[in-house]
Amino acid sequence: MTQHTTALFEPARLPGLDLPNRLVMAPLTRNRAEADGTPTPLMATYYAQRASAGLIIAEAATPNAVGQTYPNIAAAHSPAHVAGWRQVTDAVRDAGGRMFLQLQHGGRVGHPATSGLTPLAPSPVPLPETIFTPEGHRPAVVPREMTAEDIRATVADFTQAARNAVDAGFEGVEVHSANGHLLHQFLAANTNLRTDGYGGSIAARIRFTAEATEAVAAGIGAGRVGLRVSPGNTVNGIAEGETEELYPALAERLGGLGLAYLHLGYADPETPVFRKVRAAWPGVIVANPVLREISTEGVHRASEALLAAGADLIALGRPFLANPDLVTRLRLGAPLNEVRDRYFMYVGGATGYTDYPALGAQPADASSDSIVALDGGRVA
């Protein structure tokens, strides 16, 4: 093993929050909450195992019932949700960690069989594929086009969910405007066919994301708020159009708020959009690399390229999923555990969740019970 001493392990700072290193655990949907969205004690164990990350961004939590995407995802809109998340944040804090909570509304990525409600979206354009529900994969339904009142109510729901997250012990929240979910649907030309003030021009398409982020910042303080985007990402049937103009415009609109960070999913330092956003954004950039090789050296190569291009923090998903001691492994140059995709989503339980071994520990035997295939393209 070759010990690494790169900038990844140097301390960093967000507004009001010191980080011991520059490694961020990215939000990853794992479907281990109760059916009503309440976080479980198993989730507390999972996150506490990974508390050596400079920052943990917890998995997407819905700000309201209609925003639910899949079965057993977490939520943040009831007292029970707050109490469940408090168990998680207490466990992580006791282990020395820090957490933000990602807030995500699925928009058209939802189904009445899961939420009991017709999904909302910028326009009545259905998801062009099936979606997983408690009854298995089902054809997507046509969402209801949001009215101006729906938009105002959803912004208010995001703001209240952010307050709930602070009450639950999170240091802050991340507004999710990526991966084909509701806010991203407003950004994208193929899912936003509106002709009012929320569709058409770039300024109109970024408006909902901007207003939701501004409202959350006003509700809990801008330094407690991050924003996640994924420029050019086509997951969940998204075709943005004008990507290189869209995201610098969003960065310029929100750049003066003093947000904690801007999180770029699928970040590639060689692309013009990355360089334009970095130039437009005055604060901290969290970059989530596209890993061509999930290995210690592969993570180092991708991370160091992003740091050299101007990223401040590096968000990793699958490496943290399979390696609760990822920071130690990367520092020592130790090999990484392999991800067991078959236990990623929809299966519940500890297998493939809290049973990944730390260095020197023996791996647990994988159970073959309740196996459901990974829905990888839809992971937050």
Side-chain angles (χ1 to χ4, degrees):
M1 293 187 293
T2 302
Q3 187 160 347
H4 288 269
T5 57
T6 73
L8 278 177
F9 309 113
E10 295 176 356
R13 183 169 175 78
L14 298 176
L17 185 62
D18 291 320
L19 310 181
N21 56 67
R22 298 176 184 271
L23 287 160
V24 175
M25 180 177 172
L28 292 158
T29 294
R30 302 303 308 278
N31 305 81
R32 260 70 173 190
E34 302 286 358
D36 69 351
T38 300
T40 60
L42 186 65
M43 292 169 62
T45 299
Y46 169 75
Y47 283 114
Q49 289 175 339
R50 291 153 178 80
S52 61
L55 177 68
I56 293 173
I57 306 173
E59 65 205 79
T62 58
N64 54 29
V66 74
Q68 184 176 2
T69 50
Y70 311 120
N72 298 100
I73 66 165
H77 55 85
S78 81
H81 301 151
V82 173
W85 278 122
R86 172 60 73 174
Q87 295 181 61
V88 177
T89 60
D90 284 349
V92 169
R93 190 168 289 108
D94 288 347
R98 298 135 299 277
M99 294 187 81
F100 271 42
L101 176 64
Q102 186 183 76
L103 301 178
Q104 171 193 278
H105 189 301
R108 70 177 186 167
V109 185
H111 199 282
T114 302
S115 68
L117 301 166
T118 299
L120 300 178
S123 300
V125 181
L127 188 72
E129 55 198 76
T130 62
I131 184 169
F132 192 79
T133 77
E135 303 166 2
H137 277 275
R138 297 281 299 276
V141 300
V142 177
R144 179 170 67 80
E145 181 172 311
M146 294 176 75
T147 65
E149 177 54 35
D150 290 327
I151 290 172
R152 286 190 292 270
T154 302
V155 168
D157 289 341
F158 268 94
T159 306
Q160 183 57 53
R163 294 191 182 103
N164 292 344
V166 172
D167 289 344
F170 287 95
E171 276 79 16
V173 302
E174 177 178 278
V175 176
H176 192 32
S177 186
N179 293 15
H181 297 294
L182 180 64
L183 272 62
H184 198 185
Q185 293 159 27
F186 271 84
L187 296 176
N190 74 319
T191 48
N192 184 348
L193 310 181
R194 302 174 75 96
T195 57
D196 62 1
Y198 289 93
S201 69
I202 286 176
R205 282 155 53 197
I206 68 173
R207 181 179 169 186
F208 185 32
T209 291
E211 289 181 350
T213 306
E214 289 161 352
V216 170
I220 64 170
R224 289 178 175 266
V225 181
L227 172 66
R228 191 182 201 208
V229 295
S230 53
N233 186 1
T234 60
V235 72
N236 285 317
I238 289 292
E240 292 168 346
E242 302 174 290
T243 296
E244 290 185 22
E245 292 74 39
L246 197 67
Y247 289 96
L250 183 61
E252 289 170 4
R253 169 154 177 175
L254 296 175
L257 280 184
L259 296 180
Y261 59 81
L262 178 62
H263 184 176
L264 301 180
Y266 305 95
D268 183 345
E270 300 299 320
T271 60
V273 69
F274 180 90
R275 294 192 291 268
K276 289 181 179 181
V277 171
R278 176 66 281 185
W281 186 254
V284 171
I285 291 280
V286 179
N288 168 226
V290 177
L291 292 176
R292 293 171 176 82
E293 177 189 349
I294 302 180
S295 67
T296 303
E297 292 306 319
V299 169
H300 274 287
R301 281 195 298 270
S303 300
E304 288 164 9
L306 282 166
L307 291 172
D312 301 286
L313 303 172
I314 303 299
L316 300 170
R318 296 171 74 84
F320 265 114
L321 180 159
N323 298 274
D325 57 346
L326 179 65
V327 176
T328 297
R329 289 174 185 264
L330 293 178
R331 192 189 300 272
L332 296 178
L336 302 185
N337 296 324
E338 293 185 6
V339 175
R340 285 176 276 156
D341 280 350
R342 68 197 310 189
Y343 300 105
F344 196 104
M345 296 174 74
Y346 311 139
V347 297
T351 302
Y353 190 60
T354 56
D355 63 344
Y356 282 104
L359 283 171
Q362 292 298 316
D365 291 334
S367 167
S368 61
D369 296 337
S370 302
I371 296 172
V372 181
L374 168 69
D375 203 359
R378 300 173 183 168
V379 175

